[in-house]
PDB file of all heavy atoms in Angstrom:
ATOM      1  N   ALA B 570     199.464  12.076 310.891  1.00 98.00           N
ATOM      2  CA  ALA B 570     198.396  12.565 310.215  1.00 98.00           C
ATOM      3  C   ALA B 570     198.276  12.274 308.672  1.00 98.00           C
ATOM      4  O   ALA B 570     197.218  12.038 308.147  1.00 98.00           O
ATOM      5  CB  ALA B 570     198.405  14.133 310.381  1.00 98.00           C
ATOM      6  N   LEU B 571     199.449  12.120 308.044  1.00 98.00           N
ATOM      7  CA  LEU B 571     199.505  11.831 306.592  1.00 98.00           C
ATOM      8  C   LEU B 571     200.326  10.525 306.358  1.00 98.00           C
ATOM      9  O   LEU B 571     200.782  10.295 305.224  1.00 98.00           O
ATOM     10  CB  LEU B 571     200.171  13.000 305.822  1.00 98.00           C
ATOM     11  CG  LEU B 571     199.354  14.301 305.898  1.00 98.00           C
ATOM     12  CD1 LEU B 571     200.144  15.400 305.277  1.00 98.00           C
ATOM     13  CD2 LEU B 571     198.001  14.072 305.096  1.00 98.00           C
ATOM     14  N   GLY B 572     200.479   9.719 307.345  1.00 98.00           N
ATOM     15  CA  GLY B 572     201.154   8.434 307.262  1.00 98.00           C
ATOM     16  C   GLY B 572     200.539   7.460 306.220  1.00 98.00           C
ATOM     17  O   GLY B 572     199.244   7.466 306.089  1.00 98.00           O
ATOM     18  N   THR B 573     201.369   6.623 305.726  1.00 97.00           N
ATOM     19  CA  THR B 573     200.913   5.605 304.791  1.00 97.00           C
ATOM     20  C   THR B 573     201.596   4.302 305.005  1.00 97.00           C
ATOM     21  O   THR B 573     202.696   4.322 305.637  1.00 97.00           O
ATOM     22  CB  THR B 573     201.136   5.970 303.344  1.00 97.00           C
ATOM     23  OG1 THR B 573     202.526   6.043 303.084  1.00 97.00           O
ATOM     24  CG2 THR B 573     200.418   7.258 302.900  1.00 97.00           C
ATOM     25  N   LYS B 574     201.062   3.176 304.577  1.00 97.00           N
ATOM     26  CA  LYS B 574     201.703   1.889 304.724  1.00 97.00           C
ATOM     27  C   LYS B 574     203.035   1.869 304.039  1.00 97.00           C
ATOM     28  O   LYS B 574     204.032   1.406 304.465  1.00 97.00           O
ATOM     29  CB  LYS B 574     200.745   0.847 304.199  1.00 97.00           C
ATOM     30  CG  LYS B 574     201.383  -0.645 304.090  1.00 97.00           C
ATOM     31  CD  LYS B 574     200.363  -1.651 303.496  1.00 97.00           C
ATOM     32  CE  LYS B 574     200.279  -1.608 302.078  1.00 97.00           C
ATOM     33  NZ  LYS B 574     201.276  -2.172 301.226  1.00 97.00           N
ATOM     34  N   GLU B 575     202.999   2.476 302.769  1.00 98.00           N
ATOM     35  CA  GLU B 575     204.266   2.484 301.985  1.00 98.00           C
ATOM     36  C   GLU B 575     205.372   3.352 302.713  1.00 98.00           C
ATOM     37  O   GLU B 575     206.566   2.998 302.713  1.00 98.00           O
ATOM     38  CB  GLU B 575     203.990   3.214 300.634  1.00 98.00           C
ATOM     39  CG  GLU B 575     203.100   2.361 299.716  1.00 98.00           C
ATOM     40  CD  GLU B 575     201.618   2.467 300.089  1.00 98.00           C
ATOM     41  OE1 GLU B 575     201.207   3.281 300.826  1.00 98.00           O
ATOM     42  OE2 GLU B 575     200.869   1.703 299.425  1.00 98.00           O
ATOM     43  N   ALA B 576     205.025   4.388 303.415  1.00 98.00           N
ATOM     44  CA  ALA B 576     206.010   5.169 304.128  1.00 98.00           C
ATOM     45  C   ALA B 576     206.568   4.348 305.328  1.00 98.00           C
ATOM     46  O   ALA B 576     207.795   4.298 305.503  1.00 98.00           O
ATOM     47  CB  ALA B 576     205.413   6.488 304.681  1.00 98.00           C
ATOM     48  N   ARG B 577     205.680   3.651 305.999  1.00 98.00           N
ATOM     49  CA  ARG B 577     206.152   2.882 307.095  1.00 98.00           C
ATOM     50  C   ARG B 577     207.116   1.714 306.669  1.00 98.00           C
ATOM     51  O   ARG B 577     208.010   1.370 307.291  1.00 98.00           O
ATOM     52  CB  ARG B 577     204.901   2.215 307.843  1.00 98.00           C
ATOM     53  CG  ARG B 577     204.193   3.230 308.712  1.00 98.00           C
ATOM     54  CD  ARG B 577     203.111   2.660 309.530  1.00 98.00           C
ATOM     55  NE  ARG B 577     202.011   2.110 308.792  1.00 98.00           N
ATOM     56  CZ  ARG B 577     200.980   2.806 308.313  1.00 98.00           C
ATOM     57  NH1 ARG B 577     200.874   4.051 308.488  1.00 98.00           N
ATOM     58  NH2 ARG B 577     200.028   2.153 307.669  1.00 98.00           N
ATOM     59  N   GLU B 578     206.790   1.208 305.386  1.00 98.00           N
ATOM     60  CA  GLU B 578     207.630   0.122 304.863  1.00 98.00           C
ATOM     61  C   GLU B 578     208.988   0.512 304.537  1.00 98.00           C
ATOM     62  O   GLU B 578     209.918  -0.383 304.421  1.00 98.00           O
ATOM     63  CB  GLU B 578     206.895  -0.428 303.671  1.00 98.00           C
ATOM     64  CG  GLU B 578     205.667  -1.269 304.019  1.00 98.00           C
ATOM     65  CD  GLU B 578     204.870  -1.752 302.848  1.00 98.00           C
ATOM     66  OE1 GLU B 578     205.130  -1.357 301.678  1.00 98.00           O
ATOM     67  OE2 GLU B 578     203.911  -2.529 303.069  1.00 98.00           O
ATOM     68  N   ILE B 579     209.300   1.779 304.294  1.00 98.00           N
ATOM     69  CA  ILE B 579     210.707   2.185 303.923  1.00 98.00           C
ATOM     70  C   ILE B 579     211.547   2.597 305.117  1.00 98.00           C
ATOM     71  O   ILE B 579     212.815   2.861 304.924  1.00 98.00           O
ATOM     72  CB  ILE B 579     210.731   3.277 302.863  1.00 98.00           C
ATOM     73  CG1 ILE B 579     210.252   4.593 303.473  1.00 98.00           C
ATOM     74  CG2 ILE B 579     209.948   2.864 301.612  1.00 98.00           C
ATOM     75  CD1 ILE B 579     210.623   5.802 302.580  1.00 98.00           C
ATOM     76  N   VAL B 580     210.983   2.757 306.348  1.00 98.00           N
ATOM     77  CA  VAL B 580     211.754   3.321 307.358  1.00 98.00           C
ATOM     78  C   VAL B 580     212.941   2.489 307.714  1.00 98.00           C
ATOM     79  O   VAL B 580     214.073   3.095 307.901  1.00 98.00           O
ATOM     80  CB  VAL B 580     210.821   3.475 308.671  1.00 98.00           C
ATOM     81  CG1 VAL B 580     211.588   3.829 309.896  1.00 98.00           C
ATOM     82  CG2 VAL B 580     209.740   4.511 308.417  1.00 98.00           C
ATOM     83  N   GLU B 581     212.820   1.208 307.952  1.00 98.00           N
ATOM     84  CA  GLU B 581     213.986   0.429 308.284  1.00 98.00           C
ATOM     85  C   GLU B 581     215.056   0.442 307.307  1.00 98.00           C
ATOM     86  O   GLU B 581     216.232   0.651 307.665  1.00 98.00           O
ATOM     87  CB  GLU B 581     213.513  -1.100 308.522  1.00 98.00           C
ATOM     88  CG  GLU B 581     214.565  -1.993 308.996  1.00 98.00           C
ATOM     89  CD  GLU B 581     214.108  -3.394 309.216  1.00 98.00           C
ATOM     90  OE1 GLU B 581     212.943  -3.605 309.549  1.00 98.00           O
ATOM     91  OE2 GLU B 581     214.951  -4.341 309.086  1.00 98.00           O
ATOM     92  N   ALA B 582     214.791   0.334 306.003  1.00 98.00           N
ATOM     93  CA  ALA B 582     215.816   0.476 304.967  1.00 98.00           C
ATOM     94  C   ALA B 582     216.386   1.823 304.895  1.00 98.00           C
ATOM     95  O   ALA B 582     217.638   1.975 304.633  1.00 98.00           O
ATOM     96  CB  ALA B 582     215.247   0.012 303.626  1.00 98.00           C
ATOM     97  N   ALA B 583     215.606   2.889 305.129  1.00 98.00           N
ATOM     98  CA  ALA B 583     216.198   4.226 304.999  1.00 98.00           C
ATOM     99  C   ALA B 583     217.105   4.444 306.231  1.00 98.00           C
ATOM    100  O   ALA B 583     218.129   5.069 306.098  1.00 98.00           O
ATOM    101  CB  ALA B 583     214.977   5.207 305.106  1.00 98.00           C
ATOM    102  N   ALA B 584     216.742   3.937 307.454  1.00 98.00           N
ATOM    103  CA  ALA B 584     217.623   4.078 308.593  1.00 98.00           C
ATOM    104  C   ALA B 584     218.918   3.324 308.313  1.00 98.00           C
ATOM    105  O   ALA B 584     219.971   3.894 308.665  1.00 98.00           O
ATOM    106  CB  ALA B 584     216.875   3.463 309.821  1.00 98.00           C
ATOM    107  N   GLU B 585     218.868   2.218 307.673  1.00 98.00           N
ATOM    108  CA  GLU B 585     220.088   1.421 307.394  1.00 98.00           C
ATOM    109  C   GLU B 585     220.915   2.235 306.402  1.00 98.00           C
ATOM    110  O   GLU B 585     222.219   2.332 306.567  1.00 98.00           O
ATOM    111  CB  GLU B 585     219.767   0.064 306.838  1.00 98.00           C
ATOM    112  CG  GLU B 585     220.919  -0.849 306.749  1.00 98.00           C
ATOM    113  CD  GLU B 585     221.582  -1.120 308.162  1.00 98.00           C
ATOM    114  OE1 GLU B 585     220.961  -1.029 309.173  1.00 98.00           O
ATOM    115  OE2 GLU B 585     222.842  -1.345 308.117  1.00 98.00           O
ATOM    116  N   LYS B 586     220.341   2.870 305.358  1.00 98.00           N
ATOM    117  CA  LYS B 586     221.117   3.685 304.462  1.00 98.00           C
ATOM    118  C   LYS B 586     221.818   4.825 305.160  1.00 98.00           C
ATOM    119  O   LYS B 586     223.008   5.050 304.897  1.00 98.00           O
ATOM    120  CB  LYS B 586     220.166   4.272 303.417  1.00 98.00           C
ATOM    121  CG  LYS B 586     220.728   5.276 302.427  1.00 98.00           C
ATOM    122  CD  LYS B 586     221.586   4.576 301.468  1.00 98.00           C
ATOM    123  CE  LYS B 586     222.156   5.518 300.363  1.00 98.00           C
ATOM    124  NZ  LYS B 586     223.141   4.925 299.470  1.00 98.00           N
ATOM    125  N   ILE B 587     221.117   5.449 306.155  1.00 98.00           N
ATOM    126  CA  ILE B 587     221.743   6.526 306.923  1.00 98.00           C
ATOM    127  C   ILE B 587     222.946   5.967 307.772  1.00 98.00           C
ATOM    128  O   ILE B 587     224.005   6.634 307.805  1.00 98.00           O
ATOM    129  CB  ILE B 587     220.702   7.209 307.792  1.00 98.00           C
ATOM    130  CG1 ILE B 587     219.671   7.973 306.904  1.00 98.00           C
ATOM    131  CG2 ILE B 587     221.354   8.136 308.829  1.00 98.00           C
ATOM    132  CD1 ILE B 587     218.392   8.368 307.639  1.00 98.00           C
ATOM    133  N   ARG B 588     222.758   4.898 308.399  1.00 98.00           N
ATOM    134  CA  ARG B 588     223.736   4.344 309.307  1.00 98.00           C
ATOM    135  C   ARG B 588     224.984   4.011 308.438  1.00 98.00           C
ATOM    136  O   ARG B 588     226.092   4.185 309.002  1.00 98.00           O
ATOM    137  CB  ARG B 588     223.291   3.013 309.884  1.00 98.00           C
ATOM    138  CG  ARG B 588     222.443   3.135 311.170  1.00 98.00           C
ATOM    139  CD  ARG B 588     222.259   1.799 311.858  1.00 98.00           C
ATOM    140  NE  ARG B 588     221.176   1.992 312.741  1.00 98.00           N
ATOM    141  CZ  ARG B 588     219.858   1.832 312.433  1.00 98.00           C
ATOM    142  NH1 ARG B 588     219.510   1.445 311.230  1.00 98.00           N
ATOM    143  NH2 ARG B 588     218.944   2.059 313.331  1.00 98.00           N
ATOM    144  N   GLU B 589     224.849   3.497 307.242  1.00 98.00           N
ATOM    145  CA  GLU B 589     225.984   3.040 306.459  1.00 98.00           C
ATOM    146  C   GLU B 589     226.570   4.042 305.536  1.00 98.00           C
ATOM    147  O   GLU B 589     227.700   3.835 304.926  1.00 98.00           O
ATOM    148  CB  GLU B 589     225.539   1.770 305.558  1.00 98.00           C
ATOM    149  CG  GLU B 589     225.111   0.569 306.442  1.00 98.00           C
ATOM    150  CD  GLU B 589     224.598  -0.565 305.593  1.00 98.00           C
ATOM    151  OE1 GLU B 589     224.496  -0.417 304.332  1.00 98.00           O
ATOM    152  OE2 GLU B 589     224.342  -1.611 306.096  1.00 98.00           O
ATOM    153  N   PHE B 590     225.952   5.230 305.529  1.00 98.00           N
ATOM    154  CA  PHE B 590     226.364   6.244 304.489  1.00 98.00           C
ATOM    155  C   PHE B 590     227.722   6.784 304.916  1.00 98.00           C
ATOM    156  O   PHE B 590     228.064   7.043 306.023  1.00 98.00           O
ATOM    157  CB  PHE B 590     225.376   7.428 304.366  1.00 98.00           C
ATOM    158  CG  PHE B 590     225.614   8.314 303.238  1.00 98.00           C
ATOM    159  CD1 PHE B 590     225.321   7.902 301.961  1.00 98.00           C
ATOM    160  CD2 PHE B 590     226.209   9.575 303.457  1.00 98.00           C
ATOM    161  CE1 PHE B 590     225.609   8.681 300.872  1.00 98.00           C
ATOM    162  CE2 PHE B 590     226.516  10.346 302.322  1.00 98.00           C
ATOM    163  CZ  PHE B 590     226.194   9.977 301.073  1.00 98.00           C
ATOM    164  N   LYS B 591     228.651   6.986 303.852  1.00 97.00           N
ATOM    165  CA  LYS B 591     229.912   7.573 304.021  1.00 97.00           C
ATOM    166  C   LYS B 591     229.933   8.851 303.274  1.00 97.00           C
ATOM    167  O   LYS B 591     229.849   8.931 302.053  1.00 97.00           O
ATOM    168  CB  LYS B 591     231.052   6.670 303.479  1.00 97.00           C
ATOM    169  CG  LYS B 591     231.031   5.235 303.999  1.00 97.00           C
ATOM    170  CD  LYS B 591     231.373   5.236 305.466  1.00 97.00           C
ATOM    171  CE  LYS B 591     231.543   3.787 305.989  1.00 97.00           C
ATOM    172  NZ  LYS B 591     230.824   3.491 307.159  1.00 97.00           N
ATOM    173  N   GLY B 592     230.001  10.029 304.010  1.00 98.00           N
ATOM    174  CA  GLY B 592     229.907  11.269 303.357  1.00 98.00           C
ATOM    175  C   GLY B 592     229.255  12.303 304.225  1.00 98.00           C
ATOM    176  O   GLY B 592     229.383  12.152 305.558  1.00 98.00           O
ATOM    177  N   SER B 593     228.449  13.227 303.716  1.00 98.00           N
ATOM    178  CA  SER B 593     227.811  14.263 304.455  1.00 98.00           C
ATOM    179  C   SER B 593     226.286  14.103 304.333  1.00 98.00           C
ATOM    180  O   SER B 593     225.795  13.800 303.150  1.00 98.00           O
ATOM    181  CB  SER B 593     228.230  15.704 303.890  1.00 98.00           C
ATOM    182  OG  SER B 593     229.583  15.860 304.161  1.00 98.00           O
ATOM    183  N   ILE B 594     225.570  14.218 305.413  1.00 98.00           N
ATOM    184  CA  ILE B 594     224.136  14.065 305.391  1.00 98.00           C
ATOM    185  C   ILE B 594     223.463  15.480 305.670  1.00 98.00           C
ATOM    186  O   ILE B 594     223.806  16.114 306.614  1.00 98.00           O
ATOM    187  CB  ILE B 594     223.729  13.078 306.433  1.00 98.00           C
ATOM    188  CG1 ILE B 594     224.216  11.653 306.190  1.00 98.00           C
ATOM    189  CG2 ILE B 594     222.175  13.086 306.576  1.00 98.00           C
ATOM    190  CD1 ILE B 594     223.896  10.616 307.138  1.00 98.00           C
ATOM    191  N   TYR B 595     222.536  15.722 304.825  1.00 98.00           N
ATOM    192  CA  TYR B 595     221.651  16.908 305.053  1.00 98.00           C
ATOM    193  C   TYR B 595     220.176  16.372 305.037  1.00 98.00           C
ATOM    194  O   TYR B 595     219.931  15.242 304.659  1.00 98.00           O
ATOM    195  CB  TYR B 595     221.778  17.865 303.807  1.00 98.00           C
ATOM    196  CG  TYR B 595     223.106  18.563 303.723  1.00 98.00           C
ATOM    197  CD1 TYR B 595     224.261  17.883 303.120  1.00 98.00           C
ATOM    198  CD2 TYR B 595     223.323  19.838 304.179  1.00 98.00           C
ATOM    199  CE1 TYR B 595     225.481  18.516 302.995  1.00 98.00           C
ATOM    200  CE2 TYR B 595     224.607  20.495 304.095  1.00 98.00           C
ATOM    201  CZ  TYR B 595     225.637  19.770 303.516  1.00 98.00           C
ATOM    202  OH  TYR B 595     226.838  20.418 303.474  1.00 98.00           O
ATOM    203  N   GLY B 596     219.284  17.280 305.446  1.00 98.00           N
ATOM    204  CA  GLY B 596     217.942  16.853 305.438  1.00 98.00           C
ATOM    205  C   GLY B 596     217.033  17.972 305.453  1.00 98.00           C
ATOM    206  O   GLY B 596     217.412  19.169 305.549  1.00 98.00           O
ATOM    207  N   THR B 597     215.734  17.644 305.291  1.00 98.00           N
ATOM    208  CA  THR B 597     214.614  18.628 305.401  1.00 98.00           C
ATOM    209  C   THR B 597     213.579  18.239 306.397  1.00 98.00           C
ATOM    210  O   THR B 597     213.427  17.073 306.767  1.00 98.00           O
ATOM    211  CB  THR B 597     213.912  18.877 304.041  1.00 98.00           C
ATOM    212  OG1 THR B 597     213.257  17.628 303.592  1.00 98.00           O
ATOM    213  CG2 THR B 597     214.903  19.344 302.963  1.00 98.00           C
ATOM    214  N   LEU B 598     212.985  19.223 306.953  1.00 98.00           N
ATOM    215  CA  LEU B 598     211.913  19.062 307.946  1.00 98.00           C
ATOM    216  C   LEU B 598     210.713  19.942 307.538  1.00 98.00           C
ATOM    217  O   LEU B 598     210.835  21.195 307.560  1.00 98.00           O
ATOM    218  CB  LEU B 598     212.382  19.499 309.332  1.00 98.00           C
ATOM    219  CG  LEU B 598     213.456  18.679 310.000  1.00 98.00           C
ATOM    220  CD1 LEU B 598     214.047  19.407 311.223  1.00 98.00           C
ATOM    221  CD2 LEU B 598     212.920  17.286 310.365  1.00 98.00           C
ATOM    222  N   ASP B 599     209.669  19.318 307.136  1.00 98.00           N
ATOM    223  CA  ASP B 599     208.444  20.054 306.855  1.00 98.00           C
ATOM    224  C   ASP B 599     207.995  20.737 308.177  1.00 98.00           C
ATOM    225  O   ASP B 599     207.935  20.022 309.165  1.00 98.00           O
ATOM    226  CB  ASP B 599     207.322  19.092 306.362  1.00 98.00           C
ATOM    227  CG  ASP B 599     206.256  19.760 305.591  1.00 98.00           C
ATOM    228  OD1 ASP B 599     206.460  20.703 304.814  1.00 98.00           O
ATOM    229  OD2 ASP B 599     205.070  19.369 305.847  1.00 98.00           O
ATOM    230  N   THR B 600     207.828  22.041 308.115  1.00 98.00           N
ATOM    231  CA  THR B 600     207.559  22.693 309.331  1.00 98.00           C
ATOM    232  C   THR B 600     206.507  23.737 309.143  1.00 98.00           C
ATOM    233  O   THR B 600     206.561  24.669 308.367  1.00 98.00           O
ATOM    234  CB  THR B 600     208.875  23.475 309.776  1.00 98.00           C
ATOM    235  OG1 THR B 600     209.942  22.588 309.894  1.00 98.00           O
ATOM    236  CG2 THR B 600     208.703  24.185 311.079  1.00 98.00           C
ATOM    237  N   HIS B 601     205.313  23.557 309.944  1.00 98.00           N
ATOM    238  CA  HIS B 601     204.267  24.470 309.890  1.00 98.00           C
ATOM    239  C   HIS B 601     203.924  25.003 311.239  1.00 98.00           C
ATOM    240  O   HIS B 601     204.335  24.408 312.193  1.00 98.00           O
ATOM    241  CB  HIS B 601     203.039  23.670 309.300  1.00 98.00           C
ATOM    242  CG  HIS B 601     203.324  23.180 307.942  1.00 98.00           C
ATOM    243  ND1 HIS B 601     203.402  23.980 306.811  1.00 98.00           N
ATOM    244  CD2 HIS B 601     203.362  21.931 307.527  1.00 98.00           C
ATOM    245  CE1 HIS B 601     203.618  23.213 305.727  1.00 98.00           C
ATOM    246  NE2 HIS B 601     203.653  21.942 306.135  1.00 98.00           N
ATOM    247  N   SER B 602     203.161  26.050 311.280  1.00 98.00           N
ATOM    248  CA  SER B 602     202.714  26.650 312.565  1.00 98.00           C
ATOM    249  C   SER B 602     201.241  26.311 312.748  1.00 98.00           C
ATOM    250  O   SER B 602     200.548  25.686 311.906  1.00 98.00           O
ATOM    251  CB  SER B 602     202.893  28.139 312.512  1.00 98.00           C
ATOM    252  OG  SER B 602     202.229  28.727 311.405  1.00 98.00           O
ATOM    253  N   LYS B 603     200.738  26.663 313.891  1.00 98.00           N
ATOM    254  CA  LYS B 603     199.369  26.336 314.249  1.00 98.00           C
ATOM    255  C   LYS B 603     198.363  27.098 313.286  1.00 98.00           C
ATOM    256  O   LYS B 603     197.246  26.575 313.225  1.00 98.00           O
ATOM    257  CB  LYS B 603     199.095  26.746 315.725  1.00 98.00           C
ATOM    258  CG  LYS B 603     199.910  25.929 316.704  1.00 98.00           C
ATOM    259  CD  LYS B 603     199.482  26.060 318.094  1.00 98.00           C
ATOM    260  CE  LYS B 603     200.389  25.330 318.999  1.00 98.00           C
ATOM    261  NZ  LYS B 603     200.413  23.844 318.880  1.00 98.00           N
ATOM    262  N   ASP B 604     198.749  28.030 312.539  1.00 98.00           N
ATOM    263  CA  ASP B 604     197.781  28.648 311.541  1.00 98.00           C
ATOM    264  C   ASP B 604     197.850  27.999 310.182  1.00 98.00           C
ATOM    265  O   ASP B 604     197.445  28.584 309.181  1.00 98.00           O
ATOM    266  CB  ASP B 604     198.108  30.176 311.438  1.00 98.00           C
ATOM    267  CG  ASP B 604     199.379  30.415 310.680  1.00 98.00           C
ATOM    268  OD1 ASP B 604     200.278  29.495 310.558  1.00 98.00           O
ATOM    269  OD2 ASP B 604     199.536  31.621 310.224  1.00 98.00           O
ATOM    270  N   TYR B 605     198.387  26.737 310.121  1.00 98.00           N
ATOM    271  CA  TYR B 605     198.524  26.012 308.930  1.00 98.00           C
ATOM    272  C   TYR B 605     197.315  26.053 308.016  1.00 98.00           C
ATOM    273  O   TYR B 605     197.335  26.284 306.805  1.00 98.00           O
ATOM    274  CB  TYR B 605     198.955  24.519 309.174  1.00 98.00           C
ATOM    275  CG  TYR B 605     198.929  23.717 307.995  1.00 98.00           C
ATOM    276  CD1 TYR B 605     199.956  23.716 306.988  1.00 98.00           C
ATOM    277  CD2 TYR B 605     197.922  22.790 307.688  1.00 98.00           C
ATOM    278  CE1 TYR B 605     199.926  22.976 305.851  1.00 98.00           C
ATOM    279  CE2 TYR B 605     197.808  22.055 306.545  1.00 98.00           C
ATOM    280  CZ  TYR B 605     198.874  22.107 305.675  1.00 98.00           C
ATOM    281  OH  TYR B 605     198.778  21.360 304.521  1.00 98.00           O
ATOM    282  N   LEU B 606     196.088  25.854 308.579  1.00 98.00           N
ATOM    283  CA  LEU B 606     194.931  25.724 307.769  1.00 98.00           C
ATOM    284  C   LEU B 606     194.572  27.079 307.063  1.00 98.00           C
ATOM    285  O   LEU B 606     193.816  27.078 306.083  1.00 98.00           O
ATOM    286  CB  LEU B 606     193.691  25.350 308.624  1.00 98.00           C
ATOM    287  CG  LEU B 606     193.807  23.918 309.141  1.00 98.00           C
ATOM    288  CD1 LEU B 606     192.691  23.574 310.084  1.00 98.00           C
ATOM    289  CD2 LEU B 606     193.777  22.879 307.983  1.00 98.00           C
ATOM    290  N   SER B 607     195.152  28.161 307.488  1.00 98.00           N
ATOM    291  CA  SER B 607     194.897  29.481 306.842  1.00 98.00           C
ATOM    292  C   SER B 607     195.909  29.770 305.695  1.00 98.00           C
ATOM    293  O   SER B 607     195.812  30.765 304.965  1.00 98.00           O
ATOM    294  CB  SER B 607     194.882  30.623 307.820  1.00 98.00           C
ATOM    295  OG  SER B 607     196.236  30.816 308.375  1.00 98.00           O
ATOM    296  N   THR B 608     196.908  28.874 305.525  1.00 98.00           N
ATOM    297  CA  THR B 608     197.891  29.031 304.478  1.00 98.00           C
ATOM    298  C   THR B 608     197.429  28.475 303.175  1.00 98.00           C
ATOM    299  O   THR B 608     196.412  27.727 303.168  1.00 98.00           O
ATOM    300  CB  THR B 608     199.264  28.319 304.881  1.00 98.00           C
ATOM    301  OG1 THR B 608     199.011  26.859 304.851  1.00 98.00           O
ATOM    302  CG2 THR B 608     199.734  28.807 306.160  1.00 98.00           C
ATOM    303  N   GLN B 609     198.052  28.791 302.064  1.00 97.00           N
ATOM    304  CA  GLN B 609     197.568  28.256 300.799  1.00 97.00           C
ATOM    305  C   GLN B 609     197.681  26.744 300.765  1.00 97.00           C
ATOM    306  O   GLN B 609     196.751  26.046 300.330  1.00 97.00           O
ATOM    307  CB  GLN B 609     198.492  28.801 299.646  1.00 97.00           C
ATOM    308  CG  GLN B 609     198.014  28.244 298.231  1.00 97.00           C
ATOM    309  CD  GLN B 609     198.791  28.891 297.172  1.00 97.00           C
ATOM    310  OE1 GLN B 609     199.359  29.979 297.234  1.00 97.00           O
ATOM    311  NE2 GLN B 609     198.797  28.232 296.032  1.00 97.00           N
ATOM    312  N   GLU B 610     198.787  26.208 301.301  1.00 97.00           N
ATOM    313  CA  GLU B 610     198.849  24.732 301.374  1.00 97.00           C
ATOM    314  C   GLU B 610     197.754  24.082 302.276  1.00 97.00           C
ATOM    315  O   GLU B 610     197.142  23.151 301.858  1.00 97.00           O
ATOM    316  CB  GLU B 610     200.244  24.361 301.948  1.00 97.00           C
ATOM    317  CG  GLU B 610     200.365  22.803 302.042  1.00 97.00           C
ATOM    318  CD  GLU B 610     201.710  22.331 302.600  1.00 97.00           C
ATOM    319  OE1 GLU B 610     202.769  22.986 302.449  1.00 97.00           O
ATOM    320  OE2 GLU B 610     201.703  21.340 303.253  1.00 97.00           O
ATOM    321  N   GLY B 611     197.510  24.728 303.411  1.00 98.00           N
ATOM    322  CA  GLY B 611     196.428  24.243 304.298  1.00 98.00           C
ATOM    323  C   GLY B 611     195.108  24.327 303.669  1.00 98.00           C
ATOM    324  O   GLY B 611     194.250  23.455 303.990  1.00 98.00           O
ATOM    325  N   LYS B 612     194.840  25.285 302.841  1.00 98.00           N
ATOM    326  CA  LYS B 612     193.520  25.327 302.140  1.00 98.00           C
ATOM    327  C   LYS B 612     193.393  24.247 301.092  1.00 98.00           C
ATOM    328  O   LYS B 612     192.295  23.765 300.798  1.00 98.00           O
ATOM    329  CB  LYS B 612     193.329  26.751 301.530  1.00 98.00           C
ATOM    330  CG  LYS B 612     193.175  27.812 302.588  1.00 98.00           C
ATOM    331  CD  LYS B 612     193.141  29.154 301.953  1.00 98.00           C
ATOM    332  CE  LYS B 612     193.087  30.243 303.020  1.00 98.00           C
ATOM    333  NZ  LYS B 612     193.253  31.561 302.554  1.00 98.00           N
TER     334      LYS B 612
END
């Protein structure tokens, strides 16, 4: 829904960074519910 050419272009290199990383990995997941359009962000 919000994809861009620039985002697609970094996937391979980002995946390689993850594969080669030595340490601890954390991450975030943008997470919305079906009522998203009624939230401030959705508006």
Side-chain angles (χ1 to χ4, degrees):
L571 295 172
T573 65
K574 175 178 80 73
E575 292 81 8
R577 288 186 293 278
E578 289 174 350
I579 71 162
V580 171
E581 186 177 328
E585 192 59 29
K586 174 74 173 173
I587 293 166
R588 275 187 200 91
E589 294 178 357
F590 192 75
K591 306 291 187 232
S593 299
I594 297 177
Y595 293 81
T597 63
L598 294 167
D599 198 43
T600 304
H601 301 292
S602 61
K603 294 193 185 296
D604 73 342
Y605 170 77
L606 292 175
S607 69
T608 67
Q609 181 175 339
E610 181 182 327
K612 291 173 184 169

